[in-house]
């Protein structure tokens, strides 16, 4: 069992029921963190927590199950309120939940293209609502946010006048747009965040990239490194696995950051971050 330098720290991981998110939960819990395991449903989240106890020997007291379907922003709000109420100090938020855009153009009940909402808008809303927990502590300590992004953000453009891509839909373009938005969000001065491409891993998203990849555990190790307070981060930094590299130019442009926050505020229905 690895050493436990993260003892006493609390981490919320979205999309922690499988793939990189699940392995990130395992690695952080093994190092002593209390891990809030998010799943789409309460049953999914609890099953994932139980699996960590049964297969990895994680102490059940270090795991908490939380649920929200990211295709419904009201559930994201309820998730945030519950986390703040039960864990008023949150050290790290890992925005990991993601989906491949479907073949057919799909709109959520909130009126947003489904990949844009699940991969970006839900995380934007969640992050803003968790601000009270992320900024409590000695001296107004600010927790860190790790956005699990993708190298495909480099191929993207944000369709400002048609973010739902109703006029011209491509599943790859829709997915890439969501990843560019998530990467841009890490540069928002209101948060302390980084983005990481964990490599091409054998997960449900692999078909977007290649025919083979590394294990989710190998990808998760790059996420965990950025969760560690011993790893110094610069707001808005982008990592390709363990190497810090420059993201797409749009990801660090002040104008793009501000424009995206205005668009996201509009699409989630209110100003999510202070």
């Amino acid at each position: 069992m690895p050493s436990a330098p993260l003892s006493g720290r609390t981490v919320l991981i979205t999309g922690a029921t499988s793939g990189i998110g699940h392995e990130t939960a395992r690695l952080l819990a093994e190092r002593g963190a209390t891990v809030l395991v998010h799943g789409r449903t309460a049953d999914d989240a609890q099953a994932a927590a139980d699996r960590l106890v049964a297969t990895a020997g994680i102490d059940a007291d270090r795991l908490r199950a939380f649920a929200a379907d990211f295709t419904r922003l009201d559930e994201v709000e309820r998730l945030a309120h519950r986390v703040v109420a039960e864990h008023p100090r949150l050290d790290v938020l890992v925005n990991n939940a993601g989906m491949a855009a479907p073949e057919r153009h799909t709109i959520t009940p909130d009126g947003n293209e489904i990949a844009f909402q699940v991969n970006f808008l839900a995380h934007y809303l969640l992050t803003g609502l968790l601000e009270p927990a992320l900024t409590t502590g000695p001296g107004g300590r600010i927790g860190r946010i790790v956005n699990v992004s993708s190298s495909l953000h480099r191929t993207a453009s944000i369709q400002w006048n048609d973010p739902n891509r109703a006029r011209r839909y491509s599943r790859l373009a829709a997915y890439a747009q969501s990843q560019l938005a998530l990467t841009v969000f890490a540069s928002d001065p209101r948060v302390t965040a980084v983005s990481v491409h964990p490599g091409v891993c054998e997960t449900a998203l692999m078909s977007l990239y290649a025919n083979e990849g590394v294990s989710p555990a190998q990808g998760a190790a790059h996420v965990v490194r950025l969760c560690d307070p011993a790893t110094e981060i610069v707001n808005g930094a982008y990592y390709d696995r363990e190497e810090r590299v420059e993201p797409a130019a749009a990801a660090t442009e002040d104008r793009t950051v501000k424009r995206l926050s205005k668009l996201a505020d509009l699409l989630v229905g209110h100003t999510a971050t202070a």
Side-chain angles (χ1 to χ4, degrees), residues 233-264:
I233 64 170
V234 176
N235 195 54
Y238 174 79
Y239 294 84
D240 188 330
R241 287 155 285 193
E242 63 185 21
E243 183 180 357
R244 183 182 172 188
V245 297
E246 288 299 314
T252 55
E253 292 172 353
D254 287 344
R255 179 172 176 270
T256 301
V257 172
K258 291 174 182 176
R259 195 174 185 186
L260 181 66
S261 68
K262 287 181 180 179
L263 175 65

Side-chain angles (χ1 to χ4, degrees), residues 120 124 158 160 180-181 183-190 249-267 271 273:
F120 166 61
Y124 179 89
I158 298 173
W160 299 107
L180 176 57
T183 305
V184 171
F185 182 40
S187 294
D188 192 315
R190 298 171 298 177
T252 55
E253 292 172 353
D254 287 344
R255 179 172 176 270
T256 301
V257 172
K258 291 174 182 176
R259 195 174 185 186
L260 181 66
S261 68
K262 287 181 180 179
L263 175 65
D265 285 342
L266 177 67
L267 296 179
T271 302
T273 44

Side-chain angles (χ1 to χ4, degrees), residues 1-20:
M1 182 76 70
S3 60
L6 302 180
S7 180
R9 300 181 74 81
T10 301
V11 183
L12 168 60
I13 305 169
T14 69
T17 58
S18 64
I20 293 170

Side-chain angles (χ1 to χ4, degrees), residues 187-210:
S187 294
D188 192 315
R190 298 171 298 177
V191 298
T192 301
V194 295
S195 299
V196 57
H197 169 58
V200 178
C201 301
E202 292 179 350
T203 71
L205 298 177
M206 192 175 70
S207 63
L208 290 168
Y209 296 90

Side-chain angles (χ1 to χ4, degrees), residues 16 18-28 52 215-218 220-221 224:
S18 64
I20 293 170
H22 193 63
E23 289 299 315
T24 299
R26 176 181 66 82
L27 292 169
L28 289 172
L52 289 170
S215 72
Q218 288 174 276
V224 169

